[in-house]
């Protein structure tokens, strides 16, 4: 009984498709467009989420200290920041590393290295690169460095225009 019903359904479907060829083609094309658009929207959604995740990982705040600030003071500030619940990671870039990076970056351009040769001391200061756990946490980190006790230590901040 099942097979008889199945074959009758197949027979009537092929007869209907043969009689209404254009309607069948338009229906198939519509279903194809529907499935294609759904797949495209799904791919855009996945790529958008991946893109925002990658961008969130690249956002950070840099705090540049004056060259005369000691490593002990900077390490104290770093420890304070690491204890904040909003902070994901704090990296300390020392003045010596900054000096070496500058030399490596301009090793083929002597006009940029000449001022360093004239100076006897390292003109660069250390800096901290801070990454927050969430995008909304950057506001509280920024407010922390606007306090009075940090104003004499900080030479510059890279988050003023963000």
């Amino acid at each position: 009984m099942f097979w008889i019903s199945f074959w009758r359904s197949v027979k009537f479907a092929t007869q209907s498709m043969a009689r209404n060829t254009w309607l069948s083609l338009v229906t198939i094309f519509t279903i194809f467009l529907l499935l294609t658009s759904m797949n495209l929207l799904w791919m855009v959604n996945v790529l958008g989420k991946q893109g925002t995740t990658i961008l969130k990982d690249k956002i950070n705040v840099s705090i540049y200290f004056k060259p005369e600030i000691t490593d002990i003071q900077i390490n104290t500030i770093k420890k304070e920041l690491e204890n904040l619940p909003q902070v994901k990671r704090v990296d300390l870039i020392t003045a010596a590393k900054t000096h070496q990076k500058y030399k490596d970056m301009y090793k083929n351009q002597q006009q940029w290295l000449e001022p360093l040769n004239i100076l006897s001391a390292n003109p660069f200061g250390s800096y901290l690169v801070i990454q927050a756990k969430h995008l909304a946490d950057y506001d509280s980190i920024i407010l922390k460095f606007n306090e009075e006790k940090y104003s004499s230590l900080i030479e510059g901040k890279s988050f003023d225009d963000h």
Side-chain angles (χ1 to χ4, degrees):
M1 185 68 158
F2 170 76
W3 291 108
I4 294 172
S5 297
F6 176 75
W7 288 114
R8 283 183 185 164
S9 298
V10 170
K11 176 184 168 187
F12 289 133
T14 54
Q15 283 178 350
S16 180
M17 286 180 70
R19 290 179 187 154
N20 302 313
T21 306
W22 287 109
L23 182 61
S24 299
L25 289 176
V26 168
T27 304
I28 291 170
F29 184 68
T30 304
I31 292 171
F32 171 76
L33 287 178
L34 173 75
L35 292 174
T36 304
S37 63
M38 286 176 57
N39 282 331
L40 284 174
L41 287 173
W42 176 75
M43 284 180 13
V44 166
N45 184 25
V46 168
L47 291 175
K49 286 181 181 179
Q50 288 285 49
T52 55
T53 302
I54 290 170
L55 287 177
K56 284 179 186 178
D57 289 339
K58 290 188 178 198
I59 295 174
N60 58 36
V61 173
S62 297
I63 307 296
Y64 299 94
F65 296 100
K66 294 179 179 177
E68 60 269 8
I69 304 303
T70 64
D71 288 341
I72 296 170
Q73 291 173 308
I74 295 172
N75 281 325
T76 304
I77 295 170
K78 181 182 178 199
K79 294 287 184 210
E80 285 179 30
L81 286 171
E82 289 174 339
N83 291 331
L84 290 176
Q86 301 93 343
V87 175
K88 180 179 180 180
R89 190 177 79 227
V90 180
D91 295 326
L92 171 62
I93 313 302
T94 62
K97 279 186 188 176
T98 307
H99 189 258
Q100 189 59 43
K101 279 184 187 179
Y102 185 84
K103 281 183 173 180
D104 291 342
M105 190 178 345
Y106 295 111
K107 63 184 173 191
N108 296 329
Q109 298 173 351
Q110 196 59 33
Q111 72 270 16
W112 295 107
L113 294 176
E114 285 177 21
L116 288 181
N117 296 334
I118 295 171
L119 296 171
S120 61
N122 184 358
F124 299 106
S126 299
Y127 64 97
L128 294 174
V129 179
I130 306 159
Q131 189 173 20
K133 290 182 181 175
H134 305 287
L135 289 177
D137 294 337
Y138 284 105
D139 289 337
S140 61
I141 295 170
I142 290 168
L143 288 175
K144 180 155 183 71
F145 283 103
N146 287 336
E147 292 176 5
E148 187 70 30
K149 68 179 183 177
Y150 296 114
S151 63
S152 63
L153 305 173
I154 296 174
E155 185 173 38
K157 308 169 205 166
S158 72
F159 54 79
D160 291 335
D161 295 330
H162 293 256

